[in-house]
């Protein structure tokens, strides 16, 4: 049976995206393929809200994180990494793997960053760059990316933003927030197939990249820029995935980015309200709760299998579990991509039944009823 995915990526794909990929690969150094790339770049600039260059890398989101850090920061230099979850920590791991010194700003998992604390660490450092995971998927928290942009400008840092689970689902304004390198992944809010990463680069970041002579090879962003100028990619791109990405981006444009963000926010609010009405406790501080994924504590006395296992076995719906130290403590509902009212109502109704069956105290319909108030008429 095909499971319905309500995880924070990969997400369900539109039949349009699936059909777009069901055609033979074309030559990638041809005017026809150039036109496809140009259409993708165009829509991506709108989605990232940037006038800068946007490039497509064949690789998952992490490939662009790696490309950003290793291209913009020299070995031996320092980088400040804001860490409030598993993905925030990844930037520090990448930096260390490249011989770059990572200085962490530790944020409690589930809480929002405090700009003053970020500034304190930055002021003590000799960092050249700063990283932030905008939407920390592991904890369901969205951080204030704009506030970090101000600090980055003040201290002249290259600002690298992981927008892997926010771009195309929540508000991201790369240029006006002062983001120098903004990253996303195809399998998240854009609702494209997994396997592509997209990255925007500002003029400031290009200066830092040009000044770094040891940028690696395959993920050297300068190579992507040279190719971009010739309307191509440096190496053979994943042609079939790019067919899928173009169709997914057309869907994004048809919906309109503002409407899309609004829909994600509605889905997130409905999920949170429904969870509370089901006597569940949210993991993240509500003031900074993510608009693309909701983290919920597994109720006392219940196991991950009682909740997620039963959702999968009895209802064919896949939810995400907790990661790292949150394994077995939380479950996560992904409501990113093209998730709509019907998908969410189905998942929430199934969740109510699973919880009641497991002995959790709630009245069937309480969660759905709250969600309905949010969806409105
Ligand atoms: C916020 C965030 N950053 C980075 C990643 C890593 O992306 P990928 O698995 O595509 O390499 C993920 C994946 O879930 C993510 O949610």
């Amino acid at each position: 049976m095909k499971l319905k995915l309500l995880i924070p990526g990969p997400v369900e794909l539109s039949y349009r995206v699936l059909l777009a990929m069901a055609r033979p690969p074309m030559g990638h150094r041809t005017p026809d393929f150039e036109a496809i790339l140009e259409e993708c770049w165009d829509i991506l600039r709108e989605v990232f809200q940037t006038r800068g260059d946007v490039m497509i890398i064949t690789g998952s989101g992490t490939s662009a994180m790696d490309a950003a850090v290793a291209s913009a920061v020299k070995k031996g230099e320092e980088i400040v990494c804001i860490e409030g979850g598993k993905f925030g920590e990844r930037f520090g791991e990448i930096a260390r793997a490249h011989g770059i010194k990572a200085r962490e700003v530790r944020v409690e998992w589930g809480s929002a960053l405090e700009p003053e604390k970020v500034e304190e660490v930055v002021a003590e450092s000799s960092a050249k760059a700063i990283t932030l995971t905008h939407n920390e998927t592991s904890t369901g928290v969205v951080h204030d990316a704009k506030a970090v942009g101000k600090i980055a400008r003040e201290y002249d840092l290259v600002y690298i933003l992981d927008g892997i689970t926010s771009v195309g689902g929540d508000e991201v304004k790369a240029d006006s927030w002062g983001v120098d390198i903004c990253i996303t992944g195809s399998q998240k809010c854009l609702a494209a197939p997994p396997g592509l990463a997209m990255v925007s680069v500002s003029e400031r970041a290009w200066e830092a990249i040009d000044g770094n002579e040891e940028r690696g090879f395959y993920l050297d962003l300068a190579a992507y820029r040279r190719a971009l100028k010739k309307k191509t990619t440096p190496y053979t791109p994943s042609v079939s995935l790019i067919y899928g990405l173009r169709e997914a981006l057309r869907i994004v444009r048809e919906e309109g980015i503002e409407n899309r963000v609004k829909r994600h926010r509605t889905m997130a609010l409905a999920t949170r309200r429904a969870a509370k009405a089901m006597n569940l406790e949210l993991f993240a501080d509500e003031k900074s709760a993510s608009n693309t994924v909701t983290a919920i504590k597994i109720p006392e006395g219940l196991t991950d299998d009682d909740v997620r296992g039963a959702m999968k076995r009895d209802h064919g719906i896949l939810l995400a579990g907790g990661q790292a130290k949150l394994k077995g403590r939380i479950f996560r509902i992904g409501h990113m991509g093209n998730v709509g009212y019907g998908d969410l109502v189905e998942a929430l109704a199934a969740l109510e039944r699973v919880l009641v069956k497991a002995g959790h105290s709630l009245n069937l319909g309480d969660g759905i009823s709250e969600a309905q108030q949010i969806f409105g008429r």
Side-chain angles (χ1 to χ4, degrees), residues 8 60-62 65 87 90 133 135 137 162 164-165 187-188:
S60 75
T62 307
M65 295 167 70
F87 295 107
R90 186 165 297 177
T133 307
N135 186 79
T137 320
D162 167 351
I164 290 175
T165 50
Q187 78 277 27
K188 309 286 191 182

Side-chain angles (χ1 to χ4, degrees), residues 14 32 67 75 128 134 183 219 248 257 259 276 311 324 345 358 367:
S14 153
D32 283 350
K75 281 188 181 41
K128 297 285 189 261
H134 185 201
I183 297 162
L219 294 176
I257 191 69
N259 290 338
K276 288 200 287 186
M311 285 293 282
V345 167

Side-chain angles (χ1 to χ4, degrees), residues 112-347:
L113 67 82
E114 293 172 58
E116 315 76 59
K117 296 213 170 132
V118 174
E119 186 163 0
E120 240 169 63
V121 174
V122 166
E124 280 171 5
S125 78
S126 55
K128 297 285 189 261
I130 186 165
T131 67
L132 172 67
T133 307
H134 185 201
N135 186 79
E136 181 48 78
T137 320
S138 63
T139 60
V141 169
V142 63
H143 290 290
D144 187 348
K146 194 173 167 187
V148 173
K150 283 198 193 123
I151 299 170
R153 284 292 74 83
E154 201 179 321
Y155 290 83
D156 198 23
L157 305 175
V158 172
Y159 180 17
I160 302 173
L161 185 70
D162 167 351
I164 290 175
T165 50
S166 60
V167 171
D170 205 347
E171 186 176 68
V172 175
K173 296 183 182 245
D175 286 359
S176 72
W177 291 356
V179 177
D180 294 301
I181 305 187
C182 189
I183 297 162
T184 199
S186 51
Q187 78 277 27
K188 309 286 191 182
C189 305
L190 298 175
L196 298 172
M198 284 131 286
V199 53
S200 73
V201 181
S202 72
E203 275 312 314
R204 278 169 43 83
W206 282 129
E207 275 173 36
I209 292 168
D210 289 340
N212 178 13
E213 278 165 16
E214 292 178 80
R215 299 183 294 251
F217 189 83
Y218 190 75
L219 294 176
D220 171 10
L221 287 176
Y224 283 81
R225 178 176 47 175
R226 285 195 298 276
L228 188 75
K229 301 246 182 283
K230 294 186 232 153
K231 299 189 179 158
T232 187
T233 55
Y235 317 108
T236 310
S238 180
V239 171
S240 310
L241 295 183
I242 288 178
Y243 293 155
L245 175 69
R246 176 177 63 167
E247 198 57 33
L249 290 171
R250 284 178 170 174
I251 293 171
V252 171
R253 189 181 251 171
E254 284 164 24
E255 182 174 16
I257 191 69
E258 273 176 28
N259 290 338
R260 197 170 175 89
V261 168
K262 205 164 141 207
R263 174 172 56 78
H264 277 82
R265 291 186 170 174
T266 303
M267 295 302 136
L269 185 59
T271 305
R272 292 197 296 271
R273 290 277 171 86
K276 288 200 287 186
M278 289 184 216
N279 297 321
L280 294 170
E281 209 182 318
L282 302 173
F283 177 72
D285 190 339
E286 254 201 288
K287 291 193 290 294
S288 51
S290 163
N291 292 310
T292 61
V293 56
T294 297
I296 299 170
K297 291 185 187 170
I298 295 176
E300 227 17 74
L302 264 58
T303 64
D304 182 59
D305 189 61
D306 290 332
V307 182
R308 286 198 318 122
M311 285 293 282
K312 185 174 163 193
R313 276 190 304 274
D314 301 344
H315 299 277
I317 296 175
L318 194 66
L319 303 182
Q323 293 170 288
K325 63 185 177 193
L326 296 178
K327 207 175 169 73
R329 289 178 51 203
I330 62 165
F331 65 98
R332 293 171 300 146
I333 303 178
H335 30 74
M336 60 180 69
N338 296 326
V339 170
Y341 160 80
D343 306 297
L344 209 55
V345 167
E346 180 188 351

